[in-house]
Amino acid sequence: MDKFNYSNGTLRNKLDVRNAEQLRIYEYTVVSRYSYLYLNQQRIPKSIDDLCKIHLLLFGSIYEWAGEIRDYDLAKGGFHFLEVHALSSGINHINDELKSLPLSIPINRKIYADLLNDLNFLHPFREGNGRSTRLFLQCLAAGHGQVLTYDRSQKDLIDALQRSDLSEIETLIKIEHVGGKELAFRKLMEKRNGL
């Protein structure tokens, strides 16, 4: 028996939804709602623990393993993420990167690209890494008075991340300097609402 998938390949979930498309639609609805709630709290992430909290909030009503760091090797589409024996070192590295960031001055695209690349390679969860990481980095940027968005298609970003092409990742990140945390969070929430 597969620990994560039903026999048809759909991820096992708390709702026992076995149709992948129905699960995708439900996930989208839940993640959108909880992303908005998280943004409304205006929390600034400081460590991988915060990424776990975000993942648990977004996916906890759907998956038993939400918010838990994986304890197995993971590959998708032929791309192998950080091996399980190196996860604690990877987590420590990212936590150190986060601690070294300036507290209130804006962060540049290169730093965001490095963090995004490192978080992608860490890939701490079975599913939902991209959505959790995106919210994590957007909240981090908001704490620096910035609105962080990704300009081109998700596929372009995924391809650049699989190649660890930092210069390409950097070009796919857009930063709007808005001058303050509250305004940055408000703009992110407006974008979530399509305003």
Side-chain angles (χ1 to χ4, degrees):
M1 179 174 90
D2 187 332
K3 177 180 175 179
F4 292 107
N5 297 302
Y6 294 114
S7 58
N8 68 355
T10 302
L11 278 172
R12 292 184 183 279
N13 57 81
K14 292 179 176 181
L15 309 166
D16 201 31
V17 173
R18 294 174 185 243
N19 178 291
E21 182 60 16
Q22 287 177 342
L23 182 61
R24 186 192 66 73
I25 291 167
Y26 182 76
E27 256 189 28
Y28 177 80
T29 303
V30 169
V31 167
S32 294
R33 182 180 330 128
Y34 286 121
S35 293
Y36 183 84
L37 290 174
Y38 192 85
L39 287 171
N40 194 40
Q41 295 171 14
Q42 297 191 9
R43 291 186 183 160
I44 312 303
K46 295 177 176 26
S47 71
I48 293 297
D49 287 343
D50 293 315
L51 180 62
C52 291
K53 289 174 188 171
I54 289 171
H55 191 270
L56 180 61
L57 174 70
L58 298 183
F59 296 98
S61 66
I62 304 170
Y63 302 114
E64 293 291 338
W65 40 263
E68 296 175 8
I69 302 289
R70 63 183 167 88
D71 60 358
Y72 48 88
D73 288 333
L74 183 63
K76 289 185 180 182
F79 182 82
H80 294 269
F81 299 104
L82 189 62
E83 294 174 345
V84 69
H85 67 82
L87 281 176
S88 63
S89 294
I91 289 168
N92 290 337
H93 170 73
I94 292 170
N95 284 340
D96 289 344
E97 280 184 280
L98 292 166
K99 284 179 193 166
S100 72
L101 293 176
L103 294 178
S104 58
I105 62 171
I107 300 172
N108 64 46
R109 288 189 324 179
K110 181 182 181 332
I111 291 172
Y112 287 121
D114 287 341
L115 276 169
L116 182 56
N117 186 61
D118 289 347
L119 287 164
N120 180 65
F121 187 55
L122 181 70
H123 228 74
F125 314 111
R126 170 65 182 84
E127 190 63 44
N129 290 280
R131 289 167 280 184
S132 299
T133 296
R134 191 167 27 259
L135 183 57
F136 179 89
L137 289 176
Q138 286 176 321
C139 290
L140 178 67
H144 291 266
Q146 300 171 306
V147 176
L148 183 70
T149 53
Y150 308 96
D151 258 352
R152 292 190 229 158
S153 78
Q154 183 74 6
K155 183 178 178 341
D156 287 343
L157 185 58
I158 290 169
D159 290 346
L161 288 166
Q162 285 182 342
R163 294 188 313 273
S164 289
D165 185 339
L166 292 173
S167 61
E168 177 69 10
I169 295 167
E170 194 175 332
T171 67
L172 296 170
I173 294 173
K174 181 180 176 191
I175 300 173
E176 180 184 357
H177 300 276
V178 295
K181 175 179 126 175
E182 291 79 15
L183 183 56
F185 274 106
R186 187 168 52 242
K187 284 187 166 263
L188 280 171
M189 290 171 68
E190 287 170 0
K191 286 177 186 276
R192 293 274 173 181
N193 285 331
L195 300 174

